Amino acid sequence: MTNQPHPSSPQMTSGPVIRRGGQAMGPTTDQRLLDTRHGQKNDDPWRVLRIQAEFVEGFGALDELGPAVSMFGSARAGEDTPEYAQAEYMARELVSRGLAVITGGGPGIMEAANRGAHEAGGCSVGLGIELPFEQAMNQYVNLGVNFRYFFARKVMFLKYAQGFIAMPGGFGTFDELFEALTLIQTRKVTNFPVVLFGSAYWEGLVTWLRTNVIDGGYISPVDVDIFHVTDDPDEAVRVVTAQI
């Protein structure tokens, strides 16, 4: 009789490959690409082919998606939190307006948004990422793509969405948010609404931008008009869909 893996054993997804238990340990593809300590430069030209394949897979899967909104937020928000319910509600409303909903495909706020979109009968997209710990695609994704490289995944979030809703979250949420704000500020993308949902959560950041950053001359006063802050789910949906 063979030993079956324990349900809680570590799991790591690397493209089409799933590793569990002892096989799940080790560096991610991104880590190997960016790690210059071990003299792997000779492998870099070959990595271009894998990177190319990720873009081809992403473009192929999402090419006929239609109008969509990307929603970001914490993977740690439980089903009993207000943020989870609000994300689910906004996703439902977006679907009712004929939009797809794109998330990172993980738990928490991402799951809530995918759940709302899926249960409303819409297209619920998950763009997963290889991590050194388990973060399986949530069960409410009905169109999912797993990526090895963060930069390839970020292109898909921006290329196939016409707007962002950023809910309370951590470094991953900040990363996607500031990527979008930078592209809007530098006019790499146009007509791209960004909503920060949860004024109490975002207040410190917005105040810092309006004082330290603007007063220091690091951004222009008009740059803080790139995003809209609200606590009203319906207002968030109206703002993010106004130009779609």
Side-chain angles (χ1 to χ4, degrees):
M1 180 176 178
T2 58
N3 292 327
Q4 296 297 316
H6 191 274
S8 61
S9 62
Q11 175 174 312
M12 180 175 162
T13 301
S14 178
V17 180
I18 296 175
R19 299 182 182 274
R20 292 194 175 104
Q23 293 292 322
M25 311 313 292
T28 65
T29 309
D30 260 332
Q31 186 179 350
R32 289 192 296 272
L33 171 66
L34 300 174
D35 190 349
T36 59
R37 294 173 299 172
H38 302 302
Q40 297 178 339
K41 292 183 179 179
N42 290 337
D43 295 335
D44 288 346
W46 293 105
R47 287 197 177 96
V48 173
L49 297 178
R50 178 174 285 176
I51 293 166
Q52 175 181 292
E54 292 224 329
F55 281 110
V56 170
E57 289 288 345
F59 294 155
L62 303 175
D63 187 53
E64 298 181 3
L65 181 62
V69 170
S70 288
M71 295 182 65
F72 300 101
S74 175
R76 305 181 184 187
E79 192 172 348
D80 58 345
T81 62
E83 292 84 4
Y84 189 103
Q86 290 159 340
E88 189 176 349
Y89 173 80
M90 286 187 283
R92 288 178 179 272
E93 290 299 302
L94 290 168
V95 166
S96 74
R97 288 162 171 76
L99 301 171
V101 173
I102 305 173
T103 82
I109 297 300
M110 294 175 281
E111 176 187 288
N114 285 132
R115 182 175 184 172
H118 175 73
E119 293 183 349
C123 188
S124 175
V125 181
L127 304 181
I129 186 67
E130 173 190 311
L131 294 172
F133 48 84
E134 182 173 7
Q135 183 174 299
M137 197 80 74
N138 70 67
Q139 63 179 317
Y140 301 105
V141 170
N142 53 40
L143 176 59
V145 184
N146 274 310
F147 291 88
R148 292 183 173 95
Y149 297 102
F150 266 109
F151 56 83
R153 179 181 184 239
K154 288 167 77 172
V155 169
M156 303 303 154
F157 277 127
L158 286 155
K159 178 174 174 59
Y160 292 102
Q162 281 72 52
F164 275 4
I165 297 177
M167 301 192 69
F171 287 153
T173 301
F174 303 152
D175 181 40
E176 298 294 349
L177 170 62
F178 279 100
E179 177 84 9
L181 296 180
T182 300
L183 292 174
I184 296 167
Q185 182 201 46
T186 56
R187 300 183 183 178
K188 293 292 186 180
V189 293
T190 56
N191 299 325
F192 197 93
V194 176
V195 172
L196 306 186
F197 188 87
S199 59
Y201 181 79
W202 295 107
E203 179 181 6
L205 173 63
V206 174
T207 300
W208 177 71
L209 291 173
R210 292 185 182 279
T211 54
N212 295 39
V213 185
I214 288 179
D215 291 348
Y218 303 114
I219 62 173
S220 301
V222 296
D223 289 335
V224 295
D225 296 331
I226 290 173
F227 55 82
H228 182 89
V229 184
T230 184
D231 295 308
D232 182 350
D234 292 310
E235 182 181 0
V237 172
R238 284 197 303 271
V239 169
V240 83
T241 59
Q243 301 175 33
I244 299 175

